[in-house]
Amino acid sequence: MAGKRTADGDASDPAPKKALTTSSTLASASSVPKNKTMPTNYSFIEKAPSGCCKIVTFNVNSLAASCKKGFKEYVVAEDPDILCLQETKANQPMAFLLSKTQYPHQTWHCSRAKKGYSGTAVFSKIKPLRVTTGFGAEPIDDEGRLITLEFDTFHLVACYVPNAGDKLVRLDRRMVWDDAMRTHLAALEQTKPVIYTGDLNVAHNEIDLARPDTNHRSPGFTDEERTSFSDTLRGATYPRVDAFRHLHPDTRAAAYTYFGYRANCREKTLGWRLDYFVVSEPLLARVAGVVTRNQCYGASDHVPLLLYLRNVEANDDSK
């Protein structure tokens, strides 16, 4: 997450749904954790449901900094089968970050545009059939934002979508990216359904941020970005589904995955839902749950988001 939101805030169609402010909405805000450092006790992390794969996405907002704030301890406690990271800001792979015994399949996509910027990485216990980075087109690939992995029954598209930037100076680039992503997803869906995940840098509907009224021209909540995300959900071969919102249609504050460091946003619950699992409709029946780890704040200005996927293939090196 980069670019400025307003200080107080730090669709399936072009007119997205409006969230009502109700007593239940306010109550949910009061129950969201306010911690500013990572937990020291992870006993709240439940085991994955039987027969499920656990996939985690996490914008770490500088992996080197995050490691000093509890990132590794969280990963040990969570123990995901697949871990997707965004905004690593790594100039090259961090070879000893996570053990290759635990995660034998590690892929990095680092920014070539400038040092200490953007970047993605994926760590997997499951052996992918094929891995690619980027779209295969310059200059859209020069910021290290996209890793695609093919597994037996689905494609995993892990990405860090470009922010529209201060004063929306990069909004045009963002629209080019969104078009390229829709083409990419449609091509992949010709062979297998897709899980599209990461920091997608959009709050789709008014329920997805704390202060919608003051953020309509803020990056991540412009009409252009929200309508573009609706177009992505519409799909080509078949519709795509925002898995969290499908399972939790009325959740507001507990859904936020980003709390800006400025203006005491965490304590005030002034958050945004910017991180997603979008699945091709044929995969929806396999989604056993999507969980926002809103207790796990402090290693980054984002919190992790996880998806439980039923009956994932067991194509690992032990077989």
Side-chain angles (χ1 to χ4, degrees), residues 200-225:
L200 304 191
N201 252 323
V202 64
H204 188 209
N205 292 310
E206 292 195 356
I207 194 175
D208 294 319
L209 72 166
R211 299 281 178 82
D213 291 346
T214 57
N215 279 288
H216 280 282
R217 294 310 292 168
S218 295
F221 197 59
T222 63
D223 290 345
E224 294 92 333
E225 292 164 294

PDB file of all heavy atoms in Angstrom, residues 200-225:
ATOM      1  N   LEU A 200      -4.507  -5.779  -3.650  1.00  0.00           N
ATOM      2  CA  LEU A 200      -5.091  -5.350  -4.923  1.00  0.00           C
ATOM      3  C   LEU A 200      -5.362  -3.853  -4.935  1.00  0.00           C
ATOM      4  O   LEU A 200      -5.850  -3.320  -5.931  1.00  0.00           O
ATOM      5  CB  LEU A 200      -6.368  -6.142  -5.218  1.00  0.00           C
ATOM      6  CG  LEU A 200      -6.199  -7.673  -5.237  1.00  0.00           C
ATOM      7  CD1 LEU A 200      -7.457  -8.346  -5.801  1.00  0.00           C
ATOM      8  CD2 LEU A 200      -4.971  -8.117  -5.991  1.00  0.00           C
ATOM      9  N   ASN A 201      -5.049  -3.186  -3.836  1.00  0.00           N
ATOM     10  CA  ASN A 201      -5.057  -1.725  -3.767  1.00  0.00           C
ATOM     11  C   ASN A 201      -6.372  -1.102  -4.231  1.00  0.00           C
ATOM     12  O   ASN A 201      -6.389  -0.103  -4.959  1.00  0.00           O
ATOM     13  CB  ASN A 201      -3.873  -1.158  -4.565  1.00  0.00           C
ATOM     14  CG  ASN A 201      -2.801  -0.588  -3.646  1.00  0.00           C
ATOM     15  OD1 ASN A 201      -3.110   0.007  -2.615  1.00  0.00           O
ATOM     16  ND2 ASN A 201      -1.540  -0.765  -4.025  1.00  0.00           N
ATOM     17  N   VAL A 202      -7.478  -1.697  -3.784  1.00  0.00           N
ATOM     18  CA  VAL A 202      -8.788  -1.118  -4.050  1.00  0.00           C
ATOM     19  C   VAL A 202      -9.730  -1.483  -2.910  1.00  0.00           C
ATOM     20  O   VAL A 202      -9.708  -2.606  -2.408  1.00  0.00           O
ATOM     21  CB  VAL A 202      -9.361  -1.603  -5.400  1.00  0.00           C
ATOM     22  CG1 VAL A 202      -9.616  -3.109  -5.398  1.00  0.00           C
ATOM     23  CG2 VAL A 202     -10.636  -0.845  -5.765  1.00  0.00           C
ATOM     24  N   ALA A 203     -10.495  -0.522  -2.446  1.00  0.00           N
ATOM     25  CA  ALA A 203     -11.622  -0.780  -1.556  1.00  0.00           C
ATOM     26  C   ALA A 203     -12.858  -0.764  -2.456  1.00  0.00           C
ATOM     27  O   ALA A 203     -13.288   0.289  -2.917  1.00  0.00           O
ATOM     28  CB  ALA A 203     -11.710   0.283  -0.468  1.00  0.00           C
ATOM     29  N   HIS A 204     -13.410  -1.925  -2.721  1.00  0.00           N
ATOM     30  CA  HIS A 204     -14.375  -2.047  -3.805  1.00  0.00           C
ATOM     31  C   HIS A 204     -15.667  -1.286  -3.543  1.00  0.00           C
ATOM     32  O   HIS A 204     -16.187  -0.593  -4.410  1.00  0.00           O
ATOM     33  CB  HIS A 204     -14.679  -3.524  -4.038  1.00  0.00           C
ATOM     34  CG  HIS A 204     -15.512  -3.787  -5.247  1.00  0.00           C
ATOM     35  ND1 HIS A 204     -16.352  -4.867  -5.343  1.00  0.00           N
ATOM     36  CD2 HIS A 204     -15.642  -3.119  -6.412  1.00  0.00           C
ATOM     37  CE1 HIS A 204     -16.955  -4.854  -6.519  1.00  0.00           C
ATOM     38  NE2 HIS A 204     -16.554  -3.798  -7.186  1.00  0.00           N
ATOM     39  N   ASN A 205     -16.191  -1.444  -2.321  1.00  0.00           N
ATOM     40  CA  ASN A 205     -17.461  -0.807  -1.974  1.00  0.00           C
ATOM     41  C   ASN A 205     -17.318   0.029  -0.710  1.00  0.00           C
ATOM     42  O   ASN A 205     -16.315  -0.050   0.002  1.00  0.00           O
ATOM     43  CB  ASN A 205     -18.557  -1.873  -1.785  1.00  0.00           C
ATOM     44  CG  ASN A 205     -18.900  -2.554  -3.094  1.00  0.00           C
ATOM     45  OD1 ASN A 205     -19.147  -1.880  -4.093  1.00  0.00           O
ATOM     46  ND2 ASN A 205     -18.900  -3.883  -3.099  1.00  0.00           N
ATOM     47  N   GLU A 206     -18.335   0.822  -0.418  1.00  0.00           N
ATOM     48  CA  GLU A 206     -18.245   1.720   0.728  1.00  0.00           C
ATOM     49  C   GLU A 206     -18.079   0.978   2.050  1.00  0.00           C
ATOM     50  O   GLU A 206     -17.505   1.509   3.008  1.00  0.00           O
ATOM     51  CB  GLU A 206     -19.462   2.642   0.768  1.00  0.00           C
ATOM     52  CG  GLU A 206     -19.479   3.629  -0.393  1.00  0.00           C
ATOM     53  CD  GLU A 206     -20.463   4.774  -0.201  1.00  0.00           C
ATOM     54  OE1 GLU A 206     -21.196   4.765   0.817  1.00  0.00           O
ATOM     55  OE2 GLU A 206     -20.481   5.675  -1.050  1.00  0.00           O
ATOM     56  N   ILE A 207     -18.532  -0.258   2.110  1.00  0.00           N
ATOM     57  CA  ILE A 207     -18.363  -1.064   3.316  1.00  0.00           C
ATOM     58  C   ILE A 207     -16.902  -1.416   3.555  1.00  0.00           C
ATOM     59  O   ILE A 207     -16.513  -1.818   4.656  1.00  0.00           O
ATOM     60  CB  ILE A 207     -19.224  -2.349   3.215  1.00  0.00           C
ATOM     61  CG1 ILE A 207     -19.341  -3.040   4.575  1.00  0.00           C
ATOM     62  CG2 ILE A 207     -18.652  -3.298   2.162  1.00  0.00           C
ATOM     63  CD1 ILE A 207     -20.280  -4.237   4.568  1.00  0.00           C
ATOM     64  N   ASP A 208     -16.057  -1.236   2.539  1.00  0.00           N
ATOM     65  CA  ASP A 208     -14.674  -1.700   2.591  1.00  0.00           C
ATOM     66  C   ASP A 208     -13.678  -0.666   3.118  1.00  0.00           C
ATOM     67  O   ASP A 208     -12.463  -0.884   3.039  1.00  0.00           O
ATOM     68  CB  ASP A 208     -14.236  -2.178   1.207  1.00  0.00           C
ATOM     69  CG  ASP A 208     -15.006  -3.408   0.754  1.00  0.00           C
ATOM     70  OD1 ASP A 208     -15.236  -4.297   1.604  1.00  0.00           O
ATOM     71  OD2 ASP A 208     -15.382  -3.482  -0.430  1.00  0.00           O
ATOM     72  N   LEU A 209     -14.159   0.449   3.634  1.00  0.00           N
ATOM     73  CA  LEU A 209     -13.288   1.419   4.291  1.00  0.00           C
ATOM     74  C   LEU A 209     -14.087   2.203   5.320  1.00  0.00           C
ATOM     75  O   LEU A 209     -15.312   2.279   5.250  1.00  0.00           O
ATOM     76  CB  LEU A 209     -12.613   2.359   3.289  1.00  0.00           C
ATOM     77  CG  LEU A 209     -13.429   3.437   2.583  1.00  0.00           C
ATOM     78  CD1 LEU A 209     -12.495   4.444   1.905  1.00  0.00           C
ATOM     79  CD2 LEU A 209     -14.369   2.841   1.555  1.00  0.00           C
ATOM     80  N   ALA A 210     -13.366   2.807   6.252  1.00  0.00           N
ATOM     81  CA  ALA A 210     -14.035   3.464   7.376  1.00  0.00           C
ATOM     82  C   ALA A 210     -14.681   4.787   6.999  1.00  0.00           C
ATOM     83  O   ALA A 210     -15.736   5.140   7.527  1.00  0.00           O
ATOM     84  CB  ALA A 210     -13.024   3.683   8.511  1.00  0.00           C
ATOM     85  N   ARG A 211     -14.058   5.540   6.095  1.00  0.00           N
ATOM     86  CA  ARG A 211     -14.530   6.888   5.777  1.00  0.00           C
ATOM     87  C   ARG A 211     -14.724   7.056   4.264  1.00  0.00           C
ATOM     88  O   ARG A 211     -13.958   7.764   3.605  1.00  0.00           O
ATOM     89  CB  ARG A 211     -13.525   7.918   6.294  1.00  0.00           C
ATOM     90  CG  ARG A 211     -13.315   7.903   7.812  1.00  0.00           C
ATOM     91  CD  ARG A 211     -14.433   8.613   8.548  1.00  0.00           C
ATOM     92  NE  ARG A 211     -14.276   8.583  10.006  1.00  0.00           N
ATOM     93  CZ  ARG A 211     -13.511   9.409  10.703  1.00  0.00           C
ATOM     94  NH1 ARG A 211     -12.791  10.331  10.092  1.00  0.00           N
ATOM     95  NH2 ARG A 211     -13.455   9.308  12.023  1.00  0.00           N
ATOM     96  N   PRO A 212     -15.712   6.408   3.692  1.00  0.00           N
ATOM     97  CA  PRO A 212     -15.896   6.508   2.237  1.00  0.00           C
ATOM     98  C   PRO A 212     -16.210   7.914   1.754  1.00  0.00           C
ATOM     99  O   PRO A 212     -15.754   8.317   0.680  1.00  0.00           O
ATOM    100  CB  PRO A 212     -17.057   5.545   1.947  1.00  0.00           C
ATOM    101  CG  PRO A 212     -17.769   5.394   3.251  1.00  0.00           C
ATOM    102  CD  PRO A 212     -16.721   5.516   4.307  1.00  0.00           C
ATOM    103  N   ASP A 213     -16.953   8.679   2.541  1.00  0.00           N
ATOM    104  CA  ASP A 213     -17.420   9.983   2.055  1.00  0.00           C
ATOM    105  C   ASP A 213     -16.285  10.945   1.760  1.00  0.00           C
ATOM    106  O   ASP A 213     -16.419  11.813   0.884  1.00  0.00           O
ATOM    107  CB  ASP A 213     -18.375  10.608   3.080  1.00  0.00           C
ATOM    108  CG  ASP A 213     -19.698   9.860   3.177  1.00  0.00           C
ATOM    109  OD1 ASP A 213     -19.971   9.044   2.274  1.00  0.00           O
ATOM    110  OD2 ASP A 213     -20.432  10.086   4.151  1.00  0.00           O
ATOM    111  N   THR A 214     -15.163  10.816   2.464  1.00  0.00           N
ATOM    112  CA  THR A 214     -14.055  11.760   2.277  1.00  0.00           C
ATOM    113  C   THR A 214     -12.932  11.198   1.409  1.00  0.00           C
ATOM    114  O   THR A 214     -11.874  11.820   1.299  1.00  0.00           O
ATOM    115  CB  THR A 214     -13.466  12.161   3.641  1.00  0.00           C
ATOM    116  OG1 THR A 214     -13.040  10.978   4.335  1.00  0.00           O
ATOM    117  CG2 THR A 214     -14.492  12.911   4.471  1.00  0.00           C
ATOM    118  N   ASN A 215     -13.163  10.045   0.793  1.00  0.00           N
ATOM    119  CA  ASN A 215     -12.078   9.394   0.062  1.00  0.00           C
ATOM    120  C   ASN A 215     -12.392   9.082  -1.408  1.00  0.00           C
ATOM    121  O   ASN A 215     -11.676   8.292  -2.031  1.00  0.00           O
ATOM    122  CB  ASN A 215     -11.674   8.102   0.776  1.00  0.00           C
ATOM    123  CG  ASN A 215     -10.744   8.355   1.936  1.00  0.00           C
ATOM    124  OD1 ASN A 215      -9.579   8.687   1.753  1.00  0.00           O
ATOM    125  ND2 ASN A 215     -11.268   8.222   3.154  1.00  0.00           N
ATOM    126  N   HIS A 216     -13.403   9.714  -1.962  1.00  0.00           N
ATOM    127  CA  HIS A 216     -13.795   9.355  -3.324  1.00  0.00           C
ATOM    128  C   HIS A 216     -12.750   9.695  -4.381  1.00  0.00           C
ATOM    129  O   HIS A 216     -12.786   9.142  -5.482  1.00  0.00           O
ATOM    130  CB  HIS A 216     -15.141   9.998  -3.675  1.00  0.00           C
ATOM    131  CG  HIS A 216     -16.315   9.238  -3.121  1.00  0.00           C
ATOM    132  ND1 HIS A 216     -16.787   8.076  -3.695  1.00  0.00           N
ATOM    133  CD2 HIS A 216     -17.088   9.452  -2.032  1.00  0.00           C
ATOM    134  CE1 HIS A 216     -17.806   7.622  -2.994  1.00  0.00           C
ATOM    135  NE2 HIS A 216     -18.014   8.435  -1.973  1.00  0.00           N
ATOM    136  N   ARG A 217     -11.819  10.593  -4.077  1.00  0.00           N
ATOM    137  CA  ARG A 217     -10.729  10.856  -5.028  1.00  0.00           C
ATOM    138  C   ARG A 217      -9.386  10.481  -4.401  1.00  0.00           C
ATOM    139  O   ARG A 217      -8.331  10.988  -4.799  1.00  0.00           O
ATOM    140  CB  ARG A 217     -10.722  12.330  -5.469  1.00  0.00           C
ATOM    141  CG  ARG A 217     -11.932  12.724  -6.284  1.00  0.00           C
ATOM    142  CD  ARG A 217     -12.214  11.772  -7.440  1.00  0.00           C
ATOM    143  NE  ARG A 217     -11.196  11.809  -8.499  1.00  0.00           N
ATOM    144  CZ  ARG A 217     -11.114  10.919  -9.479  1.00  0.00           C
ATOM    145  NH1 ARG A 217     -11.965   9.901  -9.530  1.00  0.00           N
ATOM    146  NH2 ARG A 217     -10.178  11.047 -10.406  1.00  0.00           N
ATOM    147  N   SER A 218      -9.418   9.568  -3.445  1.00  0.00           N
ATOM    148  CA  SER A 218      -8.189   9.015  -2.880  1.00  0.00           C
ATOM    149  C   SER A 218      -7.800   7.757  -3.652  1.00  0.00           C
ATOM    150  O   SER A 218      -8.679   7.002  -4.106  1.00  0.00           O
ATOM    151  CB  SER A 218      -8.387   8.659  -1.410  1.00  0.00           C
ATOM    152  OG  SER A 218      -8.635   9.804  -0.625  1.00  0.00           O
ATOM    153  N   PRO A 219      -6.481   7.501  -3.807  1.00  0.00           N
ATOM    154  CA  PRO A 219      -6.062   6.275  -4.497  1.00  0.00           C
ATOM    155  C   PRO A 219      -6.612   5.047  -3.803  1.00  0.00           C
ATOM    156  O   PRO A 219      -6.551   4.927  -2.578  1.00  0.00           O
ATOM    157  CB  PRO A 219      -4.534   6.337  -4.415  1.00  0.00           C
ATOM    158  CG  PRO A 219      -4.219   7.318  -3.334  1.00  0.00           C
ATOM    159  CD  PRO A 219      -5.341   8.291  -3.316  1.00  0.00           C
ATOM    160  N   GLY A 220      -7.183   4.145  -4.582  1.00  0.00           N
ATOM    161  CA  GLY A 220      -7.794   2.937  -4.045  1.00  0.00           C
ATOM    162  C   GLY A 220      -9.296   3.016  -3.896  1.00  0.00           C
ATOM    163  O   GLY A 220      -9.954   1.991  -3.699  1.00  0.00           O
ATOM    164  N   PHE A 221      -9.866   4.234  -4.019  1.00  0.00           N
ATOM    165  CA  PHE A 221     -11.314   4.359  -3.882  1.00  0.00           C
ATOM    166  C   PHE A 221     -11.906   5.283  -4.936  1.00  0.00           C
ATOM    167  O   PHE A 221     -13.017   5.778  -4.791  1.00  0.00           O
ATOM    168  CB  PHE A 221     -11.686   4.846  -2.480  1.00  0.00           C
ATOM    169  CG  PHE A 221     -13.132   4.621  -2.121  1.00  0.00           C
ATOM    170  CD1 PHE A 221     -13.681   3.349  -2.114  1.00  0.00           C
ATOM    171  CD2 PHE A 221     -13.953   5.692  -1.784  1.00  0.00           C
ATOM    172  CE1 PHE A 221     -15.017   3.145  -1.788  1.00  0.00           C
ATOM    173  CE2 PHE A 221     -15.292   5.495  -1.453  1.00  0.00           C
ATOM    174  CZ  PHE A 221     -15.827   4.220  -1.456  1.00  0.00           C
ATOM    175  N   THR A 222     -11.192   5.503  -6.007  1.00  0.00           N
ATOM    176  CA  THR A 222     -11.766   6.293  -7.101  1.00  0.00           C
ATOM    177  C   THR A 222     -12.814   5.469  -7.837  1.00  0.00           C
ATOM    178  O   THR A 222     -12.780   4.235  -7.827  1.00  0.00           O
ATOM    179  CB  THR A 222     -10.670   6.719  -8.096  1.00  0.00           C
ATOM    180  OG1 THR A 222     -10.102   5.536  -8.703  1.00  0.00           O
ATOM    181  CG2 THR A 222      -9.580   7.530  -7.411  1.00  0.00           C
ATOM    182  N   ASP A 223     -13.721   6.146  -8.497  1.00  0.00           N
ATOM    183  CA  ASP A 223     -14.717   5.441  -9.297  1.00  0.00           C
ATOM    184  C   ASP A 223     -14.047   4.587 -10.359  1.00  0.00           C
ATOM    185  O   ASP A 223     -14.521   3.480 -10.680  1.00  0.00           O
ATOM    186  CB  ASP A 223     -15.675   6.443  -9.949  1.00  0.00           C
ATOM    187  CG  ASP A 223     -16.591   7.119  -8.942  1.00  0.00           C
ATOM    188  OD1 ASP A 223     -16.689   6.626  -7.802  1.00  0.00           O
ATOM    189  OD2 ASP A 223     -17.212   8.140  -9.306  1.00  0.00           O
ATOM    190  N   GLU A 224     -12.949   5.104 -10.926  1.00  0.00           N
ATOM    191  CA  GLU A 224     -12.254   4.367 -11.982  1.00  0.00           C
ATOM    192  C   GLU A 224     -11.728   3.021 -11.474  1.00  0.00           C
ATOM    193  O   GLU A 224     -11.900   1.981 -12.126  1.00  0.00           O
ATOM    194  CB  GLU A 224     -11.087   5.203 -12.534  1.00  0.00           C
ATOM    195  CG  GLU A 224     -11.505   6.469 -13.263  1.00  0.00           C
ATOM    196  CD  GLU A 224     -11.573   7.687 -12.356  1.00  0.00           C
ATOM    197  OE1 GLU A 224     -11.806   7.533 -11.133  1.00  0.00           O
ATOM    198  OE2 GLU A 224     -11.383   8.809 -12.868  1.00  0.00           O
ATOM    199  N   GLU A 225     -11.092   3.042 -10.311  1.00  0.00           N
ATOM    200  CA  GLU A 225     -10.518   1.802  -9.774  1.00  0.00           C
ATOM    201  C   GLU A 225     -11.603   0.818  -9.339  1.00  0.00           C
ATOM    202  O   GLU A 225     -11.491  -0.391  -9.567  1.00  0.00           O
ATOM    203  CB  GLU A 225      -9.601   2.135  -8.598  1.00  0.00           C
ATOM    204  CG  GLU A 225      -8.338   2.878  -8.995  1.00  0.00           C
ATOM    205  CD  GLU A 225      -7.660   3.528  -7.812  1.00  0.00           C
ATOM    206  OE1 GLU A 225      -8.250   4.465  -7.215  1.00  0.00           O
ATOM    207  OE2 GLU A 225      -6.548   3.088  -7.470  1.00  0.00           O
TER     208      GLU A 225
END
